[in-house]
Amino acid sequence: MPCASPTPRVITILGATGTGKSQVCKFSLVSSIGPTLTDQLAVTLARRFNGEIINGDALQMYEGLPIATNKLPVAARHSIPHHLLGCIRLEEEPWTVRKYVHQAHYAIQNITSRGKIPIIVGGTNYYVQSLLLGGVVSYEENTEHMCSEEQEKKWPLLGASTKEMMEELKRVDPRIARRWHPNDRRKIRHSLEVWYATGKPLSEIYDEQRKHLPDGLADARLHVQQEVVSSSNPLPFVDPLILWLHADLEPLSTRLEKRVELMVENGLLAEVDTIHNLYQQQELAGHTLDPNHGIWIAIGYKELLPYVLAAREGGANRKVLEDLKKEGITRTQIVTRQYAKSQVRWIRLRLLRSLNDRGMSNRMFLLDGTDHSKWSQEVEAPAIHLISDLLEQKPLPAATTLSEKARDILRLSEAQELHAHYCECCEKTLMNEDQWSSHVKSKRHKRAMNPKPDWLLMHRDNRNKPLDARLD
């Protein structure tokens, strides 16, 4: 049995929403109603290795709404304690990174003091990354008790359009501005918050913290990421083991579409109604609400709300209601696929790069969950083997040797840079070297660079010209 330690070993399971099996699973590496394979794997490992689970998903911290937040059903937890799950009232603001890290450290200490293994199940990647690698932007100490309305009163530009905020960010911190997509309001706003709260550009803060990386990493390249930075303190855990559950995009998209349909069948519409009732109650009570934070960003709420309101009010004919419902489901499926892609991008372009900068890329192992008929041999068995070796202090294999897919994806991720490129010809922003390289080779870009002559227009123009001019 493992003993408590001031620098405990922790196991972390990460992945995109929907990487699980639709018949058995539900959130974070899932595809339908029921336990997610991420959570299911965590429960299997906790039962085998005497562990307890710590939730790393911001929405699952809210109480109730088991379908909208994709919580693992109590029966599927097999009496394994789950920490930081359903611990926030629905009307509350989401926790800051600092608060999450503080509460998660407390849970880890509690678990290890009883000789058990903490297993972190992620979903909100910047929470988990801050917890694992340490360091949270210090400006939060000055702003974490301020709601969005208070921040905008103090710094009015934070309430301006995304374009206006980006122009200001280019002025005060051009290095950071180059790293964000011009439509990514959250990151742009956050970067300005840091500037206003500290009087320093975020890039300068990262430069200062980069100087305090552990010995041997002083020359590591600057790695900027939202609310997560390098820390001058030692890493909080010894030998963290990160299991990345991965699935190929095409089968993952199919699962996500089926999962949304099952969520609707099993009560998601009623939960959307509940969320909207709460929103209205808070507005009537005079509270200023930010629809882009908290429980209001649960996938499906905004997308299905038009149908829910029309059905509640009555008066709409059956065809209109059916169309609204179909459109809401389609939009929810699209947003879910986009969210899954963003989770994968974070892992590849942020978490893995942070691990690389610390010489720790061999602490993250990719497990291929694409084919659920091979779940036991390609996910569960390798995970058990890795954890057994870790606890027995045996050497772990190189992460790229676990499978061909692990080799290909991990090496590709290591080679990618996070840097925005803007193609003026196509009026398109690309966020890394891989996307930029693919874009400049695309037919769309080549057509824009070398448009075909409009022969009809030239013919019309030539009709009014003298013969000599037409030959020129």
Side-chain angles (χ1 to χ4, degrees), residues 205-448:
I205 292 174
Y206 285 127
D207 283 341
E208 292 174 357
Q209 293 171 332
R210 180 171 174 263
K211 295 175 184 177
H212 299 288
L213 283 170
D215 291 342
L217 295 178
D219 294 327
R221 53 188 174 272
L222 175 66
H223 177 50
V224 179
Q225 49 204 23
Q226 190 70 359
E227 300 188 70
V228 184
V229 296
S230 305
S231 173
S232 59
N233 299 323
L235 293 177
F237 308 113
V238 60
D239 295 334
L241 179 65
I242 304 169
L243 304 177
W244 174 12
L245 293 187
H246 183 274
D248 291 342
L249 182 58
E250 187 174 345
L252 176 60
S253 296
T254 301
R255 288 177 214 154
L256 290 173
E257 291 175 1
K258 292 179 180 177
R259 185 182 76 168
V260 169
E261 293 170 358
L262 284 167
M263 291 172 72
V264 171
E265 290 176 12
N266 285 273
L268 178 59
L269 296 173
E271 293 191 359
V272 168
D273 195 45
T274 298
I275 296 172
H276 192 62
N277 284 336
L278 176 64
Y279 192 93
Q280 291 179 312
Q281 291 168 11
Q282 292 294 303
E283 282 193 321
L284 288 173
H287 299 295
T288 301
L289 303 175
D290 184 350
N292 297 313
H293 289 83
I295 195 62
W296 325 117
I297 65 170
I299 292 176
Y301 169 56
K302 296 175 183 176
E303 293 75 22
L304 291 163
L305 185 59
Y307 167 76
V308 170
L309 292 179
R312 178 199 290 182
E313 294 167 3
N317 63 48
R318 183 174 179 180
K319 177 67 166 57
V320 170
L321 285 176
E322 287 178 353
D323 288 346
L324 282 173
K325 184 177 181 180
K326 184 177 180 180
E327 181 183 355
I329 291 173
T330 300
R331 290 174 60 203
T332 303
Q333 290 170 331
I334 292 171
V335 171
T336 304
R337 290 197 301 269
Q338 291 172 339
Y339 178 57
K341 289 180 182 178
S342 71
Q343 288 177 306
V344 173
R345 281 197 301 270
W346 183 287
I347 294 171
R348 291 177 62 177
L349 298 178
R350 298 183 184 279
L351 176 57
L352 186 57
R353 187 162 297 284
S354 283
L355 291 170
N356 287 340
D357 286 347
R358 291 164 172 79
M360 296 171 58
S361 58
N362 209 36
R363 307 309 303 179
M364 183 162 75
F365 293 85
L366 184 146
L367 305 175
D368 186 8
T370 300
D371 186 350
H372 288 128
S373 66
K374 300 179 180 178
W375 178 263
S376 294
Q377 60 265 42
E378 294 194 352
V379 175
E380 194 170 291
I384 290 172
H385 184 74
L386 287 166
I387 296 170
S388 297
D389 285 351
L390 177 75
L391 298 180
E392 294 172 12
Q393 298 184 343
K394 294 180 179 178
L396 297 180
T400 54
T401 64
L402 212 58
S403 66
E404 287 187 11
K405 186 160 292 182
R407 179 198 63 201
D408 295 341
I409 292 176
L410 292 175
R411 286 180 178 173
L412 176 63
S413 300
E414 289 173 3
Q416 289 191 352
E417 290 285 348
L418 183 66
H419 184 84
H421 295 272
Y422 181 70
C423 178
E424 294 184 0
C425 184
C426 301
E427 297 183 344
K428 186 177 179 66
T429 300
L430 296 311
M431 292 309 299
N432 59 59
E433 295 296 334
D434 186 53
Q435 291 180 6
W436 175 253
S437 177
S438 297
H439 173 71
V440 296
K441 296 175 184 176
S442 69
K443 291 181 179 179
R444 175 185 173 182
H445 178 74
K446 290 177 180 178
R447 284 197 301 267

Side-chain angles (χ1 to χ4, degrees), residues 458-472:
M458 292 172 63
H459 173 70
R460 288 172 179 170
D461 290 344
N462 281 338
R463 284 187 306 180
N464 298 322
K465 291 181 180 179
L467 180 61
D468 292 344
R470 296 183 201 178
L471 297 175
D472 288 341

Side-chain angles (χ1 to χ4, degrees), residues 65-189:
L65 305 176
I67 298 173
T69 60
N70 290 293
K71 291 188 182 73
L72 188 68
V74 174
R77 299 174 197 172
H78 295 283
S79 300
I80 297 295
H82 282 61
H83 303 259
L84 307 186
L85 189 70
C87 55
I88 306 177
R89 295 193 307 274
L90 291 180
E91 65 272 17
E92 289 186 44
E93 287 273 335
W95 283 359
T96 62
V97 177
R98 184 177 297 280
K99 184 171 183 179
Y100 173 77
V101 169
H102 175 77
Q103 295 294 331
H105 272 294
Y106 179 82
I108 290 169
Q109 291 170 5
N110 179 303
I111 293 167
T112 56
S113 70
R114 291 180 281 107
K116 297 194 172 186
I117 297 291
I119 300 176
I120 303 162
V121 182
T124 303
N125 290 326
Y126 57 85
Y127 274 8
V128 177
Q129 184 164 332
S130 289
L131 175 63
L132 291 178
L133 301 182
V136 179
V137 175
S138 60
Y139 90 97
E140 283 189 354
E141 295 175 350
N142 301 324
T143 63
E144 66 177 324
H145 299 297
M146 296 171 64
C147 66
S148 295
E149 183 184 33
E150 291 172 328
Q151 290 178 344
E152 289 170 14
K153 282 182 179 179
K154 187 172 183 180
W155 305 304
L157 193 62
L158 296 182
S161 68
T162 305
K163 183 178 180 180
E164 290 173 309
M165 287 196 292
M166 178 54 112
E167 289 302 316
E168 176 67 3
L169 185 59
K170 288 178 180 178
R171 186 184 70 82
V172 301
D173 196 350
R175 289 169 58 200
I176 289 296
R178 285 194 297 269
R179 301 186 75 91
W180 302 146
H181 191 285
N183 295 331
D184 197 332
R185 182 178 180 85
R186 184 176 69 87
K187 293 178 183 176
I188 295 167
R189 189 182 193 277

